[in-house]
Amino acid sequence: MANGGGPSESRRASDRGRYGRLNRERVLTTALALVDREGLSALSMRRLGTELGVEAMALYRYAASKDALLDGLVEALYLELEERLAAGTDEGADWRAGLHRIARATYDVCLAHPQAVPLIATRLLAVPLARRPAAVLRDHERVLALLRQAGFDEATASAVFRAFTAWLLGYVSVELRPMVDNPDETDPAFRLGLHRLSAKELPTLRETAAALAERGGPEGLAAGLDALLDSFKSGPPSAASG
């Protein structure tokens, strides 16, 4: 009895979309582009399948669930980070310069994909260390190896790693927080919606809101990172004792 080619043939047929045969890179690249355009709320297996020209079921071989797809977007961000780092050079850089280079590249990736940035926090809060995407683990390894090779002991390297990660992701989160209430308004006060803030209960916030709306940029990132690393100014134990 004819079965229409069998399960394997049906699976192969469903795997070919408008851009040809699917692969994980194409799926994640398309998902990230969709989120860039329309935000995380627009992302679903069905919508992504439409973008790729395949049925949603065809995507499950590349992302077994919606959570796996979200983890894939985090992976895509960190793969882009690796590309940016590979395009530069760190010859002769000390540990502080190396951290600045990683921080700036991460900042640039996040500002290029602001709609996807919340996933860095939400997914890494939900996924145990050993199950994080390989590109994320390589980023952890990159920072820790830089510190250990500089001579920091395990405990101090861990402390610097935590401080560095907290500052970097915290800074990016503050940079990307929405501040504009009505983008069509030309008057700065109405543009920011200051009339919605109580002058009696929130006088300092109202007064400072315009300054808060300005991004600190990479200069602010670097200045804050230097201030943070100054608390480790004695450097690695070997450097301090030498």
Side-chain angles (χ1 to χ4, degrees), residues 147-148 151-162 232 234-237:
L147 296 170
R148 294 289 280 152
F152 286 103
D153 60 32
E154 183 176 301
T156 309
S158 297
V160 178
F161 174 84
R162 291 190 186 98
F232 303 95
S234 60

Side-chain angles (χ1 to χ4, degrees), residues 32 35-36 39-40 77 107-119 172 175-177 215:
L32 184 57
V35 170
D36 285 344
L40 283 167
L77 294 176
Y107 176 88
D108 290 342
V109 169
C110 289
L111 263 68
H113 306 285
Q115 300 280 8
V117 168
L119 290 174
V172 167
E175 286 280 88
L176 295 178
R177 284 188 306 181
R215 284 183 175 170

Side-chain angles (χ1 to χ4, degrees), residues 120-143:
I120 295 177
T122 58
R123 292 310 304 161
L124 296 191
L125 283 173
V127 179
L129 174 67
R131 297 187 183 184
R132 293 173 188 172
V136 176
L137 296 177
R138 288 194 296 269
D139 180 68
H140 298 344
E141 173 72 16
R142 184 181 302 116
V143 175

